[in-house]
Amino acid sequence: MNLGIIGLGSMGQNHVRVAKDVAGSVAVFDTDKARIDAMVAKYGAKPYYDYGAMLRDKEIDAVVIVTPTNTHMKIASEAIDAGKHVLCEKPVADDVGEAQKVVDKAKAQGITFAVGHIERHNPAVGYAKKNLDSGQFGDVISLSSRRVSSLPGRIRDVGCILDIGIHDIDTMNYLAGKPESVYCAAGTKTKGISVEDHANLLINYKNGITASIEVSWLTPMKVRKLWLTCDKAYVEMDYMDQTLTISTSSLPSYDPGNLFNIPLEVNAQRIALRKQEPLKNEVVDFIEAIKNRRRPLVTGDDAILNVRVAKAAIESYKKGKEVMVE
Ligand SMILES: NC(=O)c1ccc[n+]([C@@H]2O[C@H](COP(=O)([O-])OP(=O)(O)OC[C@H]3O[C@@H](n4cnc5c(N)ncnc54)[C@H](O)[C@@H]3O)[C@@H](O)[C@H]2O)c1
């Protein structure tokens, strides 16, 4: 499978590195010529200085769009018209209506359209999903997550909800089901930016599950964790370590007059999975989806729902009230 990577900034360079290992060949394009030349020198990628020429090249089967969010849909639409399968970075778009047209066009033309919600490809998320589906953890009651770190230097066109919170929104939707409404409180502390840099979201799911998400660009340390309260187990997951701690407990009869000595027995099992690079899994899933004409793990419709939740959260904090997810 021959891939063309469009956009060679921080994330695009990671896509080129990974694609070199898993794709047949890798072509590259960026509006910044120096970035193209750097990828040619470092990875021997095939350069395109004209983006239209890359799309017209019959040898290229698929493109990976790693440009700023507000450019995703124009490039995706042109790539689909050129018959290329598309892996688009998250968030799929800022405008849900525009994204839906492009995703529908891909479906109508038999084009594989995947979105880079990378955490779905984290083996820890896969492990949690498998154990939830098999009933091992029991029913989910609530989920909560923390994704906090310091603000990276790159220019941003979206705030922390659409940029990083969307990872957790995707995981929550994957594990919990259909979101119904969102309440969010957020703000901006960093000077010189107009978007939110910290937020707390509370999502209500149609099935009664609740999820809370804390995201921020304001902490010195980096945390990426998820907790699941289920009726058979309590699970703490670390996205970075790819570990899960699964706790169960039993409570024999006790003396209510002696609450200091409650004989609670907690059994905690720590699972350290064999580490895998989620980005590599994502690109392999995309290639396999094209080859086997199956759905990718994260579809365009999944990604649009994630944007709907993120936008409902932004509307919620601006209006100071709960917002329904349409
Ligand atoms: N999945 C993840 O974990 C993850 C992490 C970081 C970024 N991202 C996503 O990847 C995308 C890019 O983010 P980034 O951090 O690499 O940004 P960046 O600013 O570092 O790089 C963007 C690159 O796109 C190029 N570019 C801009 N407009 C272009 C166009 N029309 N055609 C071709 N190239 C163009 C720029 O010259 C630049 O090199 C964003 O959608 C972002 O949300 C995803």
Side-chain angles (χ1 to χ4, degrees):
M1 195 64 58
N2 300 324
L3 298 186
I5 316 277
I6 301 174
L8 304 170
S10 148
M11 194 62 189
Q13 291 171 33
N14 279 281
H15 272 283
V16 178
R17 173 180 57 77
V18 162
K20 280 306 285 176
D21 289 343
V22 299
S25 72
V26 182
V28 291
F29 171 74
D30 195 289
T31 43
D32 181 343
K33 183 180 174 298
R35 292 196 161 170
I36 301 176
D37 294 341
M39 290 296 97
V40 173
K42 190 165 181 184
Y43 297 110
K46 182 176 179 187
Y48 279 90
Y49 298 98
D50 169 8
Y51 147 72
M54 178 193 265
L55 294 186
R56 284 191 299 276
D57 185 342
K58 296 267 180 285
E59 298 286 300
I60 294 175
D61 304 292
V63 295
V64 184
I65 301 171
V66 206
T67 53
T69 302
N70 55 15
T71 64
H72 287 176
M73 288 304 97
K74 181 178 181 296
I75 297 172
S77 182
E78 288 172 21
I80 292 165
D81 287 340
K84 310 296 181 208
H85 300 286
V86 173
L87 169 59
C88 178
E89 260 307 337
K90 48 53 59 178
V92 64
D94 194 28
D95 182 323
V96 167
E98 189 191 7
Q100 193 67 64
K101 278 189 206 147
V102 173
V103 167
D104 290 345
K105 179 157 80 167
K107 279 186 210 160
Q109 298 189 18
I111 295 285
T112 299
F113 190 98
V115 182
H117 285 286
I118 193 168
E119 296 291 23
R120 261 237 230 153
H121 300 276
N122 188 316
V125 173
Y127 186 93
K129 175 71 174 163
K130 200 172 92 194
N131 282 276
L132 281 174
D133 287 351
S134 70
Q136 196 72 16
F137 297 159
D139 291 337
V140 183
I141 298 158
S142 64
L143 306 106
S144 81
S145 68
R146 259 194 118 195
R147 183 173 297 264
V148 299
S149 47
S150 55
L151 178 73
R154 53 199 174 95
I155 301 164
R156 43 198 62 258
D157 52 350
V158 294
C160 66
I161 296 173
L162 266 167
D163 190 43
I164 56 171
I166 201 139
H167 287 301
D168 301 287
I169 292 170
D170 181 65
T171 306
M172 302 292 193
N173 290 349
Y174 185 48
L175 300 180
K178 293 243 175 301
E180 185 168 58
S181 68
V182 189
Y183 180 78
C184 176
T188 308
K189 284 277 171 212
T190 311
K191 289 197 171 50
I193 65 167
S194 59
V195 289
E196 79 283 346
D197 57 14
H198 63 285
N200 283 281
L201 288 69
L202 183 62
I203 308 174
N204 291 305
Y205 283 84
K206 290 187 195 292
N207 53 15
I209 295 172
T210 54
S212 64
I213 298 175
E214 181 192 1
V215 281
S216 151
W217 285 324
L218 299 178
T219 66
M221 75 298 178
K222 184 172 176 178
V223 179
R224 268 103 178 91
K225 283 191 176 182
L226 173 80
W227 294 266
L228 295 105
T229 303
C230 307
D231 61 6
K232 287 193 196 161
Y234 179 70
V235 183
E236 176 173 343
M237 195 187 90
D238 190 314
Y239 287 102
M240 289 189 296
D241 290 357
Q242 302 186 356
T243 60
L244 298 100
T245 304
I246 303 162
S247 303
T248 55
S249 66
S250 57
L251 182 60
S253 61
Y254 64 97
D255 173 6
N258 185 356
L259 293 179
F260 180 69
N261 278 324
I262 292 179
L264 179 69
E265 287 169 16
V266 177
N267 176 6
Q269 185 194 9
R270 186 172 181 275
I271 314 267
L273 297 166
R274 184 193 289 255
K275 274 194 134 186
Q276 294 172 16
E277 184 174 2
L279 185 63
K280 189 175 273 189
N281 290 349
E282 175 185 304
V283 179
V284 168
D285 175 71
F286 175 55
I287 291 173
E288 293 297 318
I290 298 168
K291 281 187 183 161
N292 300 317
R293 296 176 175 274
R294 65 154 170 85
R295 283 153 59 102
L297 183 59
V298 185
T299 65
D301 287 323
D302 294 339
I304 289 171
L305 180 61
N306 295 337
V307 176
R308 282 187 202 281
V309 175
K311 291 190 82 104
I314 294 165
E315 185 183 338
S316 169
Y317 87 71
K318 289 188 172 163
K319 290 186 173 164
K321 62 174 197 181
E322 182 185 10
V323 172
M324 303 306 288
V325 178
E326 287 168 33

